[in-house]
Amino acid sequence: MKHIILGTAGHIDHGKTALIKALTGTDTDRLKEEKLRGITIELGFASLTLPSGQDLGIIDVPGHERFVKNMVAGASTIDIVALVIAADEGVMPQTREHMEICQLLQVKMGLVVLTKIDMVDEDWLELVTEDVREFLQGTFLEDAPIVPVSSVTREGYDRLVDELDRLSVATKERTRVGVYRLPIDRVFTMKGFGTVVTGTSVSGTISLGDPITIYPGRVESKIRGLQVHSREVEQASAGLRTAINLQGVEKEAIFRGDVLASADSLVVTKRVDVYLSLLKSMPRPLKNRTRVRFHTGTAEILAEVTLLDRDEARPGDTIFTQLHLESPTAVLPHDRYVIRSYSPVHTIGGGEILAVSPPKHKRGRQDVPARLEIFKQGSPAEFTSALIEQSGITGLSRSNLARMTPFTKNVLDGSLQQLQSDRTVLQFTKEPPSYVHAKVFKEMMTKIVEMLEQYHQRYPLRPGMNKEELRSQLPYADVKLFHFLLAALTKEGVISGEQEEVHLSSHKVLLKEEEQEFRKKLEDTYLKAGLTPPYFKDLQDKIPPNVMKEVLSHLLAEKVLIKVKEGLYFHQKPLAELQDRLVEYLQSHGEMSTPEFKDMTGVSRKYTIPLFEYFDSRQVTMRVGEKRVLRTRK
């Protein structure tokens, strides 16, 4: 059986609550204040079994202009709308605003219920019906049935039920696969049960015992109990009014507007890219950086509008824009939303969320609207490709792609396979699977080659560039992606490298005649010094400083000189001879103290201590107490 939600809409005191009570026997005004004031303030809920056996969940929304935000919270999850208009008053301001909200949320099915017909004569009813039909021109209710009813005499209710049954048959059911989501509209505590949340399941399926996450606070819990229309169930799915008893969560940790979802399934964001349709009835143009009220699911969040290609948008415009939220939320692409002005409050537009957690866009960039058009109109593969390209040199993991796309697992995996087979995206890690766009990958390969060319021009005597120094000049580059780039360039023969350095394969260290003279002079100085070389700082007045460091780097790269510690270098020949003597001694004697090493070398502690520590670092020796022993090689 399908799971379908009917929602009311309409002006205050037009009989929405009385209509539901006459249909179901349920008074949806549950609050004391609602009883005293005679108006609906909060959302109300009921259910109805239709003649076909179809169960219909019902949401009653408030009609007062002060509670439109509650109306939006209810309307965001409905499949069929009953636009309620009192026959004695006709179309009123909140009739129009509620209708506009339903259109912005893309409610596609519904009917009009003309209430209070017992208070008017037939001629008046005919005039009101004509007026309503004219009001509905150009809307999704243009050809919808108009059903006159009286909650006092119950006239018209049989036809109303039949029309609802017909609409329920024609209504497409929400998907039960993919991520389970329930925008929370109530949070309360039940004695003996603990914290309970309620809402309308908008996608997926959840079962008893399943782990869940409540966003945006990322509260972790498990499903302790489930109810649908006050009946205990083991499973709940999209299209059902659902109450969920949570395990081990305090009521104070959850708020109306939060989203209960499958565990670790959504991204928390304070920025969204959207397609925005502005109402023609909007009283003035929307300027860039205007503060608005952003409604999605059951949440209302203050936000700032960034107009990407203009300074102001006029009533009736449809545009791409970015919203910067003052509080975090968790949504998915293709979710609907409504924006209302900050003050005075009225609905100004709404539309479709296109991307969650996007980068901050610079206004006027031509590539941004083109990418947003793909997010709006593109196939799953095109959407996935554009999202990976937008991630740049950070790439995107498979798990983050799942959190940022509206697709089921099978659709996403199929898209990734297609994109990899035609080399549009590349997988650069296996666990977890992560992807980079081929266009970005090629751009980064070119960038690395350019950076190495510049480095070789600046330091012609150095054999290569330190890999970490290279990566630091690629902001936000993922470490694994960086090494994947180097591996690809190495495979193509463009670069070569040893351990921590990398260079262009075409790079050769060629010393000028003057530099060759300095090289020989520096090498001879260290060779003659043996185990008592000068500290590097003491040599810098003998060779020009601009050449000194480069010649030293060259000798180190060729392993002619060996760095023992900062500023202290030895010629490799006497150092190798000392290592042989040390190993031979330890093999014969088993251990050696610092004084014994000093006697062997014939040099002061100024050299013996750094030398002993150097051999430790090379894993030739190992310190045990105050002595050294030969390290066992495995």
Side-chain angles (χ1 to χ4, degrees):
M1 184 177 295
K2 290 190 290 189
H3 302 150
I4 300 170
I5 299 294
L6 168 72
T8 62
H11 197 76
I12 185 173
D13 201 30
H14 276 207
K16 296 184 294 296
T17 304
L19 172 73
I20 293 173
K21 187 174 181 180
L23 272 174
T24 67
T26 300
D27 184 354
T28 54
D29 282 348
R30 65 183 188 280
L31 302 179
K32 182 179 179 180
E33 185 180 0
E34 290 177 320
K35 302 290 188 185
L36 290 172
R37 297 175 62 182
I39 62 171
T40 299
I41 298 172
E42 281 288 354
L43 299 176
F45 309 101
S47 63
L48 174 68
T49 301
L50 296 168
S52 63
Q54 173 70 51
D55 287 332
L56 197 64
I58 302 176
I59 300 176
D60 184 28
V61 305
H64 196 287
E65 61 179 342
R66 286 179 52 197
F67 307 120
V68 171
K69 68 176 183 178
N70 295 345
M71 180 272 169
V72 178
S76 66
T77 58
I78 66 175
D79 302 298
I80 302 171
V81 65
L83 181 64
V84 178
I85 302 174
D88 61 335
E89 289 191 336
V91 175
M92 298 291 283
Q94 260 52 64
T95 312
R96 297 181 183 279
E97 187 171 19
H98 283 203
M99 186 62 191
E100 289 172 335
I101 290 169
C102 288
Q103 297 231 108
L104 292 170
L105 293 174
Q106 282 201 339
V107 179
K108 298 185 182 299
M109 304 288 285
L111 76 173
V112 178
V113 184
L114 278 181
T115 58
K116 304 185 181 182
I117 61 171
D118 54 288
M119 298 180 66
V120 299
D121 58 32
E122 289 188 8
D123 290 340
W124 181 264
L125 181 59
E126 186 176 338
L127 288 172
V128 170
T129 302
E130 289 177 6
D131 184 49
V132 169
R133 189 61 74 187
E134 183 179 346
F135 164 67
L136 295 175
Q137 290 296 310
T139 74
F140 70 98
L141 292 181
E142 182 175 11
D143 298 318
I146 298 176
V147 183
V149 301
S150 168
S151 297
V152 176
T153 67
R154 295 193 58 82
E155 182 182 349
Y157 270 83
D158 288 343
R159 182 192 167 198
L160 175 59
V161 170
D162 289 340
E163 292 289 357
L164 291 174
D165 210 358
R166 182 185 60 79
L167 285 170
S168 70
V169 170
T171 298
K172 185 178 178 180
E173 187 177 24
R174 295 172 185 261
T175 177
R176 300 190 191 186
V177 297
V179 174
Y180 177 81
R181 290 191 295 158
L182 177 139
I184 296 171
D185 52 41
R186 290 181 65 202
V187 186
F188 55 92
T189 301
M190 287 186 66
K191 189 174 181 180
F193 292 92
T195 302
V196 176
V197 300
T198 68
T200 301
S201 305
V202 295
S203 65
T205 300
I206 202 83
S207 301
L208 285 174
D210 282 354
I212 57 93
T213 304
I214 298 173
Y215 296 93
R218 294 190 178 93
V219 178
E220 305 291 336
S221 184
K222 286 187 176 181
I223 304 299
R224 182 181 176 186
L226 283 170
Q227 281 193 357
V228 172
H229 302 314
S230 301
R231 298 191 301 270
E232 298 284 343
V233 295
E234 293 189 357
Q235 192 177 76
S237 55
L240 292 173
R241 280 296 306 172
T242 308
I244 301 178
N245 184 201
L246 297 172
Q247 178 179 307
V249 178
E250 296 297 323
K251 173 179 176 290
E252 289 72 22
I254 308 172
F255 304 91
R256 176 179 176 158
D258 287 356
V259 178
L260 184 150
S262 306
D264 196 26
S265 59
L266 301 177
V267 171
V268 174
T269 183
K270 293 182 72 174
R271 189 161 52 228
V272 290
D273 288 338
V274 301
Y275 186 67
L276 172 62
S277 297
L278 295 174
L279 295 174
K280 292 180 180 179
S281 61
M282 189 174 70
R284 63 185 65 86
L286 177 69
K287 296 184 181 297
N288 184 51
R289 302 193 68 179
T290 296
R291 200 178 189 209
V292 297
R293 299 173 185 271
F294 171 72
H295 296 263
T296 180
T298 55
E300 178 190 50
I301 303 170
L302 295 178
E304 183 180 273
V305 177
T306 296
L307 301 177
L308 300 175
D309 61 353
R310 63 196 74 190
D311 293 324
E312 66 176 30
R314 304 189 65 79
D317 282 353
T318 54
I319 57 173
F320 294 119
T321 187
Q322 187 167 76
L323 299 178
H324 299 265
L325 312 180
E326 295 183 16
S327 301
T329 189
V331 292
L332 282 175
H334 300 338
D335 284 356
R336 304 296 299 183
Y337 72 94
V338 170
I339 59 170
R340 309 186 75 224
S341 56
Y342 178 68
S343 180
V345 184
H346 53 265
T347 303
I348 58 178
E352 179 183 3
I353 293 172
L354 302 178
V356 300
S357 197
K360 186 176 181 180
H361 301 312
K362 290 184 179 179
R363 299 179 66 220
R365 287 189 54 167
Q366 297 299 314
D367 61 322
V368 174
R371 185 176 298 120
L372 296 183
E373 185 65 42
I374 293 173
F375 289 149
K376 184 176 187 299
Q377 305 278 12
S379 68
E382 291 170 334
F383 186 108
T384 304
S385 173
L387 190 60
I388 294 173
E389 182 179 359
Q390 182 174 264
S391 71
I393 58 176
T394 61
L396 272 177
S397 67
R398 167 65 178 74
S399 55
N400 275 335
L401 278 167
R403 297 183 189 105
M404 298 172 72
T405 59
F407 311 128
T408 64
K409 179 181 183 301
N410 289 341
V411 171
L412 178 57
D413 287 342
S415 297
L416 287 170
Q417 288 174 8
Q418 177 185 332
L419 293 170
Q420 287 181 86
S421 66
D422 62 19
R423 304 291 290 174
T424 301
V425 303
L426 307 174
Q427 182 176 342
F428 64 90
T429 62
K430 289 185 178 180
E431 291 298 333
S434 297
Y435 305 89
V436 63
H437 199 277
K439 179 181 176 183
V440 173
F441 191 74
K442 290 175 183 176
E443 289 172 352
M444 295 316 301
M445 290 175 75
T446 302
K447 178 69 173 176
I448 287 174
V449 171
E450 291 173 350
M451 291 167 65
L452 287 174
E453 286 175 344
Q454 293 169 6
Y455 187 86
H456 293 327
Q457 290 172 7
R458 186 175 180 184
Y459 304 109
L461 300 186
R462 296 184 187 181
M465 185 176 186
N466 181 273
K467 290 179 182 178
E468 280 306 306
E469 181 182 355
L470 178 62
R471 189 174 76 85
S472 70
Q473 295 181 31
L474 296 169
Y476 312 115
D478 179 271
V479 176
K480 293 180 180 179
L481 176 54
F482 173 70
H483 289 292
F484 188 66
L485 282 160
L486 295 188
L489 286 166
T490 302
K491 185 177 181 180
E492 292 183 9
V494 177
I495 67 171
S496 303
E498 293 184 11
Q499 296 180 346
E500 299 304 316
E501 289 187 335
V502 65
H503 61 86
L504 293 177
S505 298
S506 59
H507 175 64
K508 305 294 181 186
V509 177
L510 299 174
L511 275 66
K512 299 175 185 176
E513 184 177 344
E514 181 188 43
E515 292 166 340
Q516 289 175 348
E517 291 176 6
F518 287 135
R519 179 193 186 283
K520 186 175 186 308
K521 183 176 181 180
L522 196 59
E523 181 182 354
D524 289 347
T525 298
Y526 278 99
L527 183 59
K528 290 176 182 177
L531 297 178
T532 56
Y535 272 70
F536 182 63
K537 63 182 180 180
D538 299 328
L539 292 173
Q540 296 190 53
D541 59 344
K542 298 181 181 180
I543 299 176
N546 61 330
V547 179
M548 186 69 163
K549 289 185 179 180
E550 294 307 308
V551 173
L552 174 65
S553 296
H554 176 65
L555 289 168
L556 289 171
E558 292 195 334
K559 296 183 171 52
V560 174
L561 296 186
I562 307 297
K563 181 179 179 180
V564 169
K565 76 169 196 176
E566 193 63 42
L568 182 59
Y569 307 92
F570 287 75
H571 195 284
Q572 61 86 20
K573 187 174 180 180
L575 198 61
E577 291 172 352
L578 176 59
Q579 179 173 323
D580 291 341
R581 291 161 56 199
L582 175 61
V583 170
E584 184 180 352
Y585 182 93
L586 290 173
Q587 287 173 340
S588 300
H589 297 82
E591 61 183 22
M592 174 183 276
S593 65
T594 303
E596 289 170 334
F597 185 55
K598 183 174 179 294
D599 290 341
M600 173 186 283
T601 59
V603 299
S604 68
R605 289 177 62 87
K606 174 182 177 182
Y607 296 106
T608 55
I609 298 301
L611 283 167
F612 242 164
E613 291 175 348
Y614 166 75
F615 288 125
D616 288 344
S617 69
R618 291 292 304 273
Q619 299 189 356
V620 175
T621 58
M622 179 172 63
R623 184 169 181 168
V624 179
E626 295 301 319
K627 297 186 177 183
R628 257 70 173 191
V629 299
L630 196 64
R631 183 181 287 272
T632 302
R633 303 290 179 91
K634 294 183 179 180

